[in-house]
Amino acid sequence: MEQERNNQSQHQPQEQAPAQEKMQPSATRWWQNAVIYQIYPRSFQDSNGDGIGDLQGIIRRLDYLERLGIDGIWLSPVCKSPQDDNGYDISDYQDIDPMFGSLSDMEQLIEEAKKRNIRIIMDLVLNHTSDEHPWFVEAKSGRDNPYHDYYVWRDGVEGIPPNEMRACFGGSAWQWVPEVGQYYFHQFSVRQPDLNWDNPKVRQEIYEMIRWWMDKGVGGFRLDVIDQIAKVPDKGITNNGPMLHTYIQELSRETFQKGDLVTVGEAWGATPELAKLYSSPDGREFSMVFQFEHINLDQQEGKEKWDLAPLPFLKLKEVLNQWQTGLYGCGWNSLFWDNHDLPRIVSRWGDDGKYREESAKMLATLLHGMQGTPYIYQGEELGMTNVKYSIEEYRDIETLNMYRERMGAGCKKEEVMASVYAKSRDNARTPMQWDGGEYAGFSGSTPWIRVNPNYQKINAASQVGVEGSVFEYYRRLVKLRKEHPVLIDGRFQLLLERDGQIFAYLRENGQSRLLVVCNFFGEPVKCGLAGEWDKAKLLIGNYEGAGEEAGFSEVLRPYEARMYLVS
Ligand code: GLC
Ligand code: CA
C-alpha cells in the first residue's frame, strides 16, 4: 500500500500551456469588478419553521441582495452532510442536504439569482469528506477495498499514532480503525477524514463532480482549505505540500478553465509570493486567493487564535500594504474582514458600543477602497456584532473542543470565555437579523443557535432605505466600485505609514487619483493631508452632512472615514 501511494505521488500531471486564448487584460474580468456576498445558509433565512436557514429562505431574500448591489453569492456548503462541522463534512457532493432543501431548490436558486444578475458560488470542500461519505465507508471496510486508497492511512499500533501531528480542531490528527488495523489522517475533526490527492482516481472523481456542478450553471467555486490538499503527513507537512500547485493546475485545467467562472482559493498559509501562483492572471490556478495574514494579527505570536493580543495597528498597515503592492498586476486578492470562521469586525476592531455605526462604516470604507474583490459577510452590512453566551449556547465544534481542552488543562474559566467571546466562530453564525419581530424574522420557531439579543436595535428592516444606515452606506460603496474604475485598477500607495491612528492611502490609474483616509480609533485626530485634496470631490464619508461638505477637513472625528476623488 505504502509503495503504491509513493508511486502515485510521483505521477505528475502533464504540464500544458495555460488557457491563454481565454485571457483578457486583467481588470476586465467580471469578478474583478464584482462584490461578493457570503451566505451561511444555516443562519440566513428559515422558510419552513424548523429553526434552520434553507435554500427557499435565500430565494426569498434575493431582492434584498439585489438592492445591496452584489454580483455573486458565496454559499457555504449545502451538500448532504451529517453536519459535524456545519456542512464542511460532505457525505454526498451531488446532492443537497434535506435540511436545506433539494436539488431542484438549488436549481431554482441558481436561476432566480441569475435573473437578478447574481451568480452562485459554491463552496467546494475537497480536502476531506465526511466519515459518512460512501467512499470512506468503503475505505474503512478493508485494506483491499478499492476505495481504501482514497484516504490517507498509515500502519501503526493502537494507542501509538504514527506521529505527533494535531488536528486543527484539537486532538491527534490520527484515528485508529480496528477493522483495518490502521490509522487514518484528519486535519480537522475526526469525522472529516482527509482525501488522498496522490491517488489519481480521487482527483478524477472530483473533477467529474465539479463539471457536473458547472453544467448546472453555477458561477464559480470557493475552494475550502485548498492549500492543505497536498499534505505529506510523514514529514509533518499540512499546507503548501510539494505537489500542491501541480494538483491545483490540473484541477483548474480539468474543470474551471472550461468556463468563465470565478474561483477563490482559501489559503491560510499563503504569502504574497505564493498568492501570485494561486491567482496568476494567466488563469492556470484560481481567480483569486483568500488569505488571512491581516486578520490573524490580534493573537500572540506563534500561539493559537484563542491567545488574545491587542491589534498591532502599524503591523496591520504594513501587512495590507504588502499585499496591495505585492499582487499589483500579477495576482488578485479577496478583501474581507469577516466570514463564517471569524468574529464580527465591528466588535473586533471597531467599537460595537457608542460608535458602532461610525466604526462599521469606517472599516467598510477602508476595505472597499483597496484593490481586490470585496466580500460582505451576511449581517456585516447591518453592523451586526459579536455575542456573549453561556457555553451551553455555543454550537461550533471548534469552540466547544477548545473549551473542553483548556478547561481540562486547568485554565481559568473567565480566560477561556474571554477567548470564546472574542474569537468563537459562532459570533458570525447567529441568525441574520431581518427585523425586530420574534427570532429577528429569521424563523418562526426557536433557531438552531440563539439570536443576538440586540436584534431589535440592529436589523435590516430598520436600515434598508433609511438614509445614514450602515446598509445604505454599504450599498453606496458597492455602487462606487462600479462607477470609478480607479477602484478596480488603481495602483495602491500607503500614506502616513508611521501614523499610529490614521489609515490613509492613494489609488491611482493615470486618469484619476483617489484618497481614502480613515481614523481607525475613537479619539479625534488631526490629519496633515490637505493641499491638493482641498479641491477634491468627496465621494463618501461616514459622518452626517459629510456629503455636502466640500474640501478637505483637517480633523477626523472618532472613526471618521472619507474617500476623495481627483480626476
Ligand atoms: C475552512 C472552513 C471552515 C471549516 C474548515 C474545514 O477553513 O472555512 O469553516 O471548518 O475549512 O473544512
Ligand atoms: Ca428550514
Side-chain angles (χ1 to χ4, degrees):
M1 184 53 57
E2 203 50 33
Q3 216 169 5
E4 195 185 324
R5 182 179 298 106
N6 286 338
N7 286 342
Q8 281 161 353
S9 70
Q10 278 154 18
H11 166 89
Q12 301 258 348
Q14 300 214 322
E15 286 290 321
Q16 277 173 18
Q20 217 67 323
E21 70 282 0
K22 275 208 244 77
M23 294 307 127
Q24 301 155 27
S26 51
T28 61
R29 313 297 304 272
W30 69 267
W31 42 263
Q32 290 180 306
N33 298 294
V35 176
I36 295 174
Y37 187 90
Q38 186 192 350
I39 289 184
Y40 197 65
R42 256 179 184 271
S43 307
F44 192 62
Q45 177 67 64
D46 178 20
S47 73
N48 63 350
D50 64 356
I52 303 169
D54 45 54
L55 294 176
Q56 284 301 332
I58 299 172
I59 294 171
R60 214 192 265 175
R61 296 296 185 178
L62 284 173
D63 290 341
Y64 169 87
L65 298 176
E66 187 184 22
R67 182 171 179 121
L68 184 56
I70 52 105
D71 307 275
I73 294 173
W74 155 17
L75 200 60
S76 277
V78 289
C79 287
K80 206 154 184 231
S81 159
Q83 306 290 329
D84 184 50
D85 184 21
N86 289 0
Y88 284 92
D89 48 318
I90 292 175
S91 56
D92 186 346
Y93 288 102
Q94 284 164 274
D95 204 356
I96 299 297
D97 197 279
M99 192 172 92
F100 295 126
S102 64
L103 211 46
S104 82
D105 292 324
M106 185 65 186
E107 286 160 352
Q108 193 189 339
L109 172 62
I110 294 170
E111 205 182 296
E112 286 298 319
K114 205 170 184 180
K115 285 186 196 155
R116 295 163 177 85
N117 287 320
I118 295 172
R119 307 190 203 211
I120 300 293
I121 299 159
M122 285 196 70
D123 210 321
L124 276 180
V125 187
L126 305 179
N127 176 68
H128 45 267
T129 67
S130 157
D131 61 344
E132 290 183 27
H133 194 291
W135 295 343
F136 190 72
V137 175
E138 291 282 329
K140 68 168 189 198
S141 72
R143 292 188 188 207
D144 299 329
N145 188 288
Y147 288 95
H148 187 69
D149 203 32
Y150 273 44
Y151 294 86
V152 181
W153 300 93
R154 292 294 181 269
D155 294 339
V157 186
E158 185 169 8
I160 311 171
N163 62 30
E164 297 297 298
M165 289 177 80
R166 312 266 306 159
C168 295
F169 295 161
S172 170
W174 298 100
Q175 178 68 21
W176 176 251
V177 177
E179 292 89 324
V180 289
Q182 283 181 313
Y183 284 89
Y184 69 83
F185 182 63
H186 63 93
Q187 299 189 64
F188 294 89
S189 96
V190 74
R191 302 204 50 196
Q192 293 167 297
D194 267 58
L195 281 167
N196 176 17
W197 273 72
D198 295 334
N199 181 346
K201 278 197 237 143
V202 170
R203 304 202 300 273
Q204 289 310 326
E205 291 230 34
I206 287 174
Y207 305 155
E208 234 168 83
M209 173 274 287
I210 295 174
R211 290 190 290 255
W212 183 83
W213 277 113
M214 284 170 63
D215 287 344
K216 296 222 170 288
V218 298
F221 298 98
R222 176 259 188 187
L223 289 295
D224 188 65
V225 291
I226 199 69
D227 61 344
Q228 296 182 210
I229 57 171
K231 53 254 161 181
V232 188
D234 308 299
K235 294 192 175 140
I237 296 176
T238 53
N239 57 20
N240 300 322
M243 289 298 285
L244 178 63
H245 292 277
T246 308
Y247 292 156
I248 293 177
Q249 284 162 28
E250 183 188 78
L251 161 70
S252 172
R253 210 160 50 227
E254 296 281 335
T255 61
F256 322 132
Q257 283 178 24
K258 301 180 197 294
D260 186 21
L261 299 186
V262 62
T263 50
V264 188
E266 185 198 27
W268 288 80
T271 58
E273 273 318 299
L274 288 172
K276 286 184 203 169
L277 276 175
Y278 286 117
S279 65
S280 151
D282 68 15
R284 55 152 69 191
E285 296 198 2
F286 303 129
S287 315
M288 67 186 93
V289 65
F290 198 99
Q291 56 74 34
F292 297 82
E293 194 177 352
H294 64 293
I295 210 75
N296 274 340
L297 293 171
D298 55 358
Q299 70 187 51
Q300 293 164 39
E301 222 179 300
K303 296 240 195 129
E304 296 180 10
K305 73 177 192 183
W306 310 109
D307 301 303
L308 310 179
L311 172 71
F313 178 61
L314 291 180
K315 182 80 188 163
L316 174 70
K317 294 210 269 191
E318 185 191 315
V319 167
L320 288 172
N321 185 30
Q322 272 167 11
W323 280 92
Q324 287 290 300
T325 53
L327 289 193
Y328 179 75
C330 55
W332 198 256
N333 210 347
S334 306
L335 304 171
F336 68 94
W337 293 127
D338 278 351
N339 78 9
H340 65 292
D341 294 329
L342 302 170
R344 295 281 182 184
I345 196 62
V346 70
S347 301
R348 188 179 192 178
W349 295 347
D351 171 1
D352 62 10
K354 185 171 174 200
Y355 294 115
R356 185 183 63 85
E357 296 188 42
E358 289 82 356
S359 62
K361 293 174 190 171
M362 179 278 289
L363 289 158
T365 317
L366 177 47
L367 196 79
H368 286 245
M370 288 192 283
Q371 184 167 54
T373 297
Y375 286 71
I376 302 172
Y377 177 72
Q378 64 183 46
E380 180 189 333
E381 76 283 13
L382 304 174
M384 276 179 62
T385 67
N386 281 354
V387 289
K388 287 184 181 166
Y389 292 164
S390 67
I391 194 68
E392 298 74 41
E393 293 176 297
Y394 287 87
R395 300 286 174 263
D396 170 34
I397 183 172
E398 185 196 45
T399 306
L400 297 173
N401 285 355
M402 180 285 284
Y403 179 83
R404 223 171 289 126
E405 252 183 40
R406 293 204 170 185
M407 292 301 284
C411 296
K412 282 208 208 90
K413 178 151 181 176
E414 308 91 79
E415 270 169 37
V416 177
M417 289 313 291
S419 299
V420 170
Y421 299 155
K423 295 286 180 73
S424 170
R425 305 195 295 181
D426 280 341
N427 282 307
R429 300 177 179 186
T430 63
M432 179 73 175
Q433 292 163 213
W434 292 107
D435 58 45
E438 207 183 10
Y439 306 125
F442 162 72
S443 174
S445 61
T446 317
W448 69 277
I449 187 170
R450 194 179 145 202
V451 176
N452 189 325
N454 65 18
Y455 71 94
Q456 279 165 329
K457 186 169 157 238
I458 304 173
N459 59 62
S462 64
Q463 297 196 29
V464 175
V466 175
E467 213 184 316
S469 68
V470 179
F471 178 89
E472 290 300 326
Y473 194 88
Y474 266 85
R475 194 158 89 92
R476 278 176 61 206
L477 280 175
V478 173
K479 200 154 162 267
L480 283 174
R481 189 158 269 268
K482 315 281 171 192
E483 293 166 356
H484 300 284
V486 65
L487 280 166
I488 314 298
D489 60 12
R491 186 186 277 273
F492 177 95
Q493 189 196 338
L494 185 66
L495 304 173
L496 308 176
E497 216 165 308
R498 309 300 311 161
D499 190 294
Q501 188 166 348
I502 297 170
F503 201 127
Y505 58 84
L506 280 181
R507 299 287 305 281
E508 225 165 325
N509 69 354
Q511 270 98 50
S512 344
R513 282 152 61 80
L514 184 128
L515 170 72
V516 175
V517 45
C518 298
N519 178 359
F520 207 85
F521 296 94
E523 305 295 323
V525 62
K526 225 173 150 191
C527 165
L529 279 175
E532 69 169 300
W533 299 101
D534 281 345
K535 286 171 218 75
K537 182 178 168 210
L538 183 68
L539 288 183
I540 190 167
N542 65 348
Y543 268 77
E544 197 113 351
E548 291 87 60
E549 277 169 47
F552 194 85
S553 157
E554 281 247 298
V555 175
L556 293 169
R557 289 162 279 190
Y559 297 104
E560 182 158 13
R562 290 159 166 252
M563 192 184 275
Y564 292 94
L565 183 76
V566 189
S567 48

